[in-house]
């Protein structure tokens, strides 16, 4: 089964996404996911964070080959903690070094 993006495509909730096979999860992430440009480097892997509907998905890559290994969907924001130090709130708000916009 192949998914095609349409403006009427219904959003899946987290539980519905979890029961899909990995190919379908990957297709949905490719079509509707938004890369948050946040990465986590670990000893044997690299993680890239995406937002999808009302939850998050990490793509875990092999640290040596950079091949995608698996997807890690989650909705608990505690899992975002490892990414928070990468976010520059001042930059997001457009505040310069002197505190002006």
């Amino acid at each position: 089964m192949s998914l095609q993006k349409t403006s009427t495509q219904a959003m899946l909730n987290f539980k519905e996404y979890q029961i899909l096979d990995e190919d379908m999860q990957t297709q949905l992430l490719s079509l509707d996911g938004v890369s948050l440009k946040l990465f986590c480097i670990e000893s044997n892997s690299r993680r890239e964070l995406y937002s999808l509907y009302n939850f998050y998905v990490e793509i875990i890559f092999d640290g040596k080959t950079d091949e995608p290994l698996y997807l890690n969907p989650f909705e608990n924001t505690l899992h975002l903690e490892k990414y928070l130090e990468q976010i520059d709130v001042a930059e997001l708000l457009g505040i310069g070094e002197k505190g002006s916009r």
Side-chain angles (χ1 to χ4, degrees), residues 23-55:
D23 287 339
M24 291 296 290
Q25 288 181 350
T26 301
Q27 283 187 44
L28 280 172
L29 186 61
S30 173
L31 290 170
D32 294 337
V34 176
S35 173
L36 298 178
K37 308 286 190 231
L38 297 172
F39 306 92
C40 182
I41 308 295
E42 298 173 342
S43 60
N44 295 322
S45 65
R46 176 177 67 85
R47 296 169 181 260
E48 184 173 346
L49 185 63
Y50 284 77
S51 173
L52 180 64
Y53 310 132
N54 60 347
F55 53 91

Side-chain angles (χ1 to χ4, degrees), residues 36-93:
L36 298 178
K37 308 286 190 231
L38 297 172
F39 306 92
C40 182
I41 308 295
E42 298 173 342
S43 60
N44 295 322
S45 65
R46 176 177 67 85
R47 296 169 181 260
E48 184 173 346
L49 185 63
Y50 284 77
S51 173
L52 180 64
Y53 310 132
N54 60 347
F55 53 91
Y56 301 94
V57 180
E58 290 176 312
I59 303 176
I60 291 77
F61 295 89
D62 183 279
K64 293 180 181 176
T65 65
D66 211 34
E67 290 292 317
L69 299 174
Y70 60 94
L71 302 176
N72 179 37
F74 62 92
E75 58 184 351
N76 186 332
T77 56
L78 290 175
H79 294 295
L80 295 174
E81 206 166 293
K82 60 188 160 212
Y83 296 102
L84 293 179
E85 66 186 36
Q86 297 177 45
I87 299 171
D88 183 351
V89 175
E91 181 181 328
L92 290 174
L93 296 174

